[in-house]
């Protein structure tokens, strides 16, 4: 009898652990590079957060999306070969109250992240596993057309989406990604606490004046081991009001920053 109870308990623990991992495909996300997955990804995030949190896993393929809002205790995991691709239409993007629009945004959330995955999930600290493409040139062209027609009142700097934009969030991990062709600054953190932004390859050569990692009003932020290839713009841009900032191992082609 005791053996059965122990077995059932062990099974329940294992099942509970496995239940924290969710495949994006289960929620109807399609990796064909054509389907707009914004609604499907958002539904997945909402459900996972409501269930107590977990990881949303994307496997090989191209997942087209507009803005998705991360919620408490949810981490997006992009496995090697998986690419999130930003749609070029500006009307598919939104952002936090006091932060830029972006492909992935969050406001006032806790324990969130976007990470590249490797075989050993105990260690996500590896560069270049999972890609996010901003389609920067196409997105900016779309914005310019809307401004010229008078449909859009924002200037291009305000309208163009970043890759990640978090405001007022706590316990944030963004690590191990390849970022390609952003339309604006890549990672933007405002008034966040306990932030780790590490081991990314950031490639921004389509659009001028895009900064790499931008933060202001943050407390306890670590920016480490990132590699930047920028057309122009600053690899790391600090605004006012930051406390306990640690930067190390960040590089450009010219060497260590």
């Amino acid at each position: 009898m005791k053996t059965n109870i122990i077995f059932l308990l062990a099974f329940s623990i294992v099942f509970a652990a496995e239940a924290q991992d969710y495949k994006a495909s289960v929620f109807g996300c399609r990796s064909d590079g054509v389907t707009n997955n914004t609604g499907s990804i958002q539904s997945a995030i909402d459900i996972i957060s409501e269930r107590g949190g977990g990881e949303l896993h994307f496997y090989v393929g191209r997942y087209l999306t507009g803005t998705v809002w991360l919620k408490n205790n949810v981490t997006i995991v992009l496995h090697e070969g998986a690419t999130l691709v930003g749609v070029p239409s500006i009307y598919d993007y939104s952002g936090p109250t006091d932060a830029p629009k972006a492909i992935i945004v969050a406001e006032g959330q806790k324990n969130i992240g976007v990470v590249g995955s490797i075989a050993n999930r105990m260690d996500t600290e590896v560069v270049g596993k999972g890609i996010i493409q901003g389609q920067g040139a196409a997105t900016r062209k779309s914005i310019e057309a809307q401004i010229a027609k008078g449909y859009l009142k924002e200037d291009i700097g305000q309208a163009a989406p970043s890759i990640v934009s978090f405001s007022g969030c706590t316990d944030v991990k963004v690590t191990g990604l390849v970022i390609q062709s952003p339309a604006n600054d890549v990672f933007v953190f405002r008034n966040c606490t306990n932030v780790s932004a590490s081991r990314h390859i950031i490639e921004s050569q389509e659009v001028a004046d895009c900064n790499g990692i931008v933060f202001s009003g943050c407390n306890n932020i670590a920016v480490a081991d990132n590699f930047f290839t920028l057309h122009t713009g600053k690899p790391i841009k600090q605004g006012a009001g930051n406390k306990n900032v640690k930067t190390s191992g960040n590089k450009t082609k010219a060497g260590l920053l």
Side-chain angles (χ1 to χ4, degrees):
M1 183 67 177
K2 287 183 178 180
T3 302
N4 290 339
I5 292 173
I6 292 172
F7 174 79
L8 289 171
L9 180 60
F11 179 81
S12 298
I13 292 171
V14 170
F15 181 80
E18 290 180 347
Q20 294 178 358
D21 293 340
Y22 300 84
K23 293 181 180 180
S25 59
V26 171
F27 297 91
C29 298
R30 303 189 66 176
S31 59
D32 55 15
V34 177
T35 303
N36 189 328
N37 292 289
T38 307
S40 298
I41 297 173
Q42 191 62 62
S43 293
I45 292 170
D46 294 346
I47 291 170
I48 293 169
S49 182
E50 288 168 3
R51 291 181 177 179
E55 296 178 346
L56 179 60
H57 291 257
F58 291 81
Y59 294 92
V60 177
R62 292 173 63 81
Y63 300 84
L64 194 66
T65 185
T67 294
V68 294
W69 290 74
L70 270 185
K71 301 291 182 66
N72 289 331
N73 304 313
V74 177
T75 294
I76 290 175
V77 182
L78 300 178
H79 290 259
E80 188 170 10
T83 303
L84 285 185
V85 182
V87 298
S89 169
I90 187 56
Y91 298 110
D92 285 278
Y93 292 101
S94 57
T97 304
D98 64 344
K101 300 173 183 177
I103 296 174
I104 302 172
V105 305
E107 185 170 20
Q109 304 299 300
K110 297 180 179 180
N111 188 28
I112 58 175
V114 188
V115 306
S117 176
I118 60 173
N120 178 7
R121 282 293 297 121
M122 297 301 292
D123 178 12
T124 59
E125 302 298 318
V126 173
V127 166
K129 301 294 182 179
I131 300 170
I132 304 179
Q133 292 181 344
Q135 297 202 83
T139 303
R140 287 212 164 209
K141 185 176 180 180
S142 171
I143 293 169
E144 288 169 353
Q146 296 304 303
I147 292 174
K149 293 176 182 178
Y151 298 148
L152 195 63
K153 301 305 179 184
E154 299 171 298
D155 63 38
I156 195 163
Q158 295 171 319
S162 295
I163 299 296
V164 167
S165 179
F166 292 164
S167 175
C169 296
T170 303
D171 297 331
V172 173
K173 185 175 185 179
V174 183
T175 188
L177 300 168
V178 175
I179 306 298
Q180 298 174 337
S181 305
N184 209 333
D185 296 338
V186 178
F187 297 119
V188 179
F189 305 103
R190 291 189 179 172
N191 302 314
C192 294
T193 302
N194 299 335
V195 178
S196 175
S198 64
R199 298 188 178 273
H200 301 292
I201 297 174
I202 296 176
E203 302 170 349
S204 176
Q205 299 185 73
E206 284 188 359
V207 177
D209 300 324
C210 289
N211 300 300
I213 300 175
V214 180
F215 52 95
S216 60
C218 292
N219 184 14
N220 194 20
I221 180 169
V223 180
D225 303 319
N226 300 288
F227 186 85
F228 302 88
T229 304
L230 305 178
H231 183 285
T232 53
K234 296 181 179 180
I236 300 172
K237 183 178 180 180
Q238 295 192 42
N242 296 301
K243 298 179 181 179
N244 303 317
V245 176
K246 296 180 180 179
T247 62
S248 64
N250 298 291
K251 300 177 182 179
T252 66
K253 289 182 178 180
L256 283 170
L257 296 176

